[in-house]
Structures are given as structure tokens and as C-alpha cells.
């Protein structure tokens, strides 16, 4: 029903910026709560940022003030603008959709931040 495809990952130096995109295919995008998660090697998956039907957003403390999540309902796309990147931000970033009690996941995109 729902398919998510992330893009925008890559290699960046510490202090640099990247913008991740998540394209949502399927219906009811405007009704879905969207989020970005990340998982670094040897660590548990963690919530990075989430955004609801409105523009209300929440962030992990570790990224607050540096990352911004947004959504464009006309394009069925969620973005994660990442500024002031740190080596500890290195992880696979995955897009998540929560819709009608079900979770959907993208394959993820790798972000590597060099020191």
C-alpha cells in the first residue's frame, strides 16, 4: 500500500550540510505521520525527527537546533535538512510512515560525516 524511497545521503565533512528526501508512494500521505530514524553500527535505531499532519515537529535532543524536518503534501515528500553535521551523525537514515495503525519503512540512505 505504501512505499517509501529515501535519497540524498552521502559523504560530508563535519560542519557541512545535507538534505534527505523521502518520496511516499500510495494514498493518504496527508493523513500519515512521518518520521526519520537512524541507526549507526552497533547502536539501536533511534528517532531523529517526526512531523504530523500539521507542521508540528519533534526532534531528538541530539539533533535539535541542527536538523529540520518538513513535508510537502503536494509532492508527497518529507525532507530532513541536516546542518552542522557531526561525525556521530553517521548512520543509515530511514524514512517512516505511520498510517492507520501501521508502520511503513524505506530502505534507508547512508550518511557519513568525516572529521
Amino acid at each position: 500500500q505504501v512505499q517509501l524511497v529515501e535519497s540524498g545521503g552521502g559523504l560530508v565533512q563535519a560542519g557541512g550540510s545535507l538534505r534527505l528526501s523521502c518520496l511516499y508512494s500510495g494514498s493518504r500521505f496527508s493523513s500519515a505521520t512521518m518520521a526519520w530514524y537512524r541507526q549507526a553500527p552497533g547502536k539501536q535505531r533511534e528517532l531523529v525527527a517526526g512531523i504530523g499532519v500539521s507542521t508540528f515537529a519533534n526532534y531528538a535532543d541530539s539533533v535539535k537546533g541542527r536538523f529540520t524536518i518538513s513535508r510537502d503534501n503536494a509532492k508527497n515528500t518529507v525532507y530532513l535538512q541536516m546542518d552542522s553535521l557531526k561525525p556521530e551523525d553517521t548512520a543509515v537514515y530511514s524514512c517512516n510512515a505511520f498510517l492507520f495503525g501501521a508502520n511503513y519503512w524505506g530502505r534507508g540512505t547512508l550518511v557519513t560525516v568525516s572529521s
Side-chain angles (χ1 to χ4, degrees), residues 30-115:
S30 62
S31 298
T33 296
M34 305 298 299
W36 287 95
Y37 287 77
R38 69 184 181 186
Q39 186 168 26
K43 297 183 179 180
Q44 293 185 329
R45 184 179 62 192
E46 65 174 341
L47 174 66
V48 177
I51 187 167
V53 173
S54 70
T55 57
F56 176 80
N58 62 287
Y59 300 90
D61 288 341
S62 59
V63 307
K64 195 170 298 181
R66 299 187 298 119
F67 291 9
T68 303
I69 188 172
S70 62
R71 65 191 297 161
D72 187 339
N73 287 344
K75 297 181 178 180
N76 281 20
T77 302
V78 175
Y79 304 97
L80 185 68
Q81 177 66 230
M82 304 184 294
D83 299 320
S84 302
L85 283 162
K86 304 175 180 179
E88 49 264 46
D89 294 319
T90 296
V92 174
Y93 286 72
S94 300
C95 183
N96 168 268
F98 182 73
L99 179 65
F100 300 140
N103 279 295
Y104 303 89
W105 296 91
R107 290 172 53 191
T109 184
L110 177 63
V111 172
T112 303
V113 184
S114 63
S115 61

Side-chain angles (χ1 to χ4, degrees), residues 1-3 24-28 99-100 104:
Q1 181 70 24
V2 176
Q3 183 177 354
Y24 175 113
S25 63
S27 62
R28 311 290 285 177
L99 179 65
F100 300 140
Y104 303 89

